[in-house]
Amino acid sequence: MAYETFEKAEGVIQEINRGDDCCSMELSLVSGEDIVNIVVSGDTQVMDHVRLRTGMRIAAFYDTDLPTPAVYPPRYRAELVAVLRRGQQVLLDYFDDALTSADGSLKLNIGPMTNIVTANGQPYVCSSENAELLVYYTTATLSMPAQTTPQKIIVMCP
């Protein structure tokens, strides 16, 4: 799956409601002053298979190529959800052979404690260069591009 058309909605889950069917739910996310509704279906990939609860801070990635209802607050269908710890950031992007993101915002420095796995949690033993990566990190330099040693990398295998 190509992730270049994915955008991120990040915030704290304020409310969880049943969706249109028994396999989906709608999350109300609060991000600063804004509220965004996220639909999580049975097809949504929730990283680490975490049960979503109110009060959790998450990043929900949705495909901008899919139709979105013109409602307020916005309502997006999540393709992928990542739960975030305090101070943690996440970026989903293609990283080149220098481990720099396609948007040029982040360069990765792989450390000995960086956990590199596939989306199903299995160890990834190949090079993580030239791949779609979901990168979890806490601190980054102020340089351009920002540099970080990620805590965890999930390789989004095709």
Side-chain angles (χ1 to χ4, degrees):
M1 175 181 276
Y3 298 98
E4 61 267 1
T5 60
F6 280 30
E7 289 292 327
K8 175 174 68 169
E10 187 176 318
V12 176
I13 300 173
Q14 177 184 13
E15 188 177 355
I16 300 175
N17 293 307
R18 183 172 166 211
D20 295 335
D21 59 42
C22 294
C23 290
S24 67
M25 60 182 162
E26 188 169 312
L27 312 176
S28 290
L29 291 186
V30 176
S31 179
E33 299 291 320
D34 298 326
I35 294 177
V36 176
N37 291 325
I38 302 294
V39 176
V40 176
S41 71
D43 295 331
T44 303
Q45 190 172 17
V46 179
M47 304 317 295
D48 299 323
H49 305 285
V50 175
R51 182 176 176 188
L52 301 174
R53 303 181 201 292
T54 58
M56 285 182 156
R57 190 168 70 92
I58 66 165
F61 294 88
Y62 59 93
D63 191 342
T64 58
D65 281 352
L66 295 178
T68 303
V71 296
Y72 184 83
R75 184 175 186 243
Y76 303 113
R77 182 180 173 270
E79 298 293 324
L80 187 147
V81 174
V83 176
L84 303 174
R85 295 188 186 122
R86 177 170 288 145
Q88 195 172 48
Q89 298 296 317
V90 66
L91 178 65
L92 175 65
D93 207 346
Y94 176 84
F95 285 81
D96 65 15
D97 57 354
L99 290 175
T100 301
S101 63
D103 68 2
S105 67
L106 192 64
K107 178 172 178 11
L108 306 181
N109 299 311
I110 307 298
M113 300 303 290
T114 302
N115 184 19
I116 305 175
V117 297
T118 60
N120 65 7
Q122 302 308 304
Y124 187 78
V125 294
C126 299
S127 171
S128 51
E129 300 167 348
N130 297 310
E132 296 276 353
L133 306 175
L134 182 65
V135 178
Y136 294 83
Y137 64 98
T138 53
T139 58
T141 64
L142 297 177
S143 61
M144 275 311 284
Q147 295 187 37
T148 188
T149 302
Q151 299 165 316
K152 183 177 185 178
I153 296 174
I154 298 177
V155 180
M156 306 304 287
C157 298

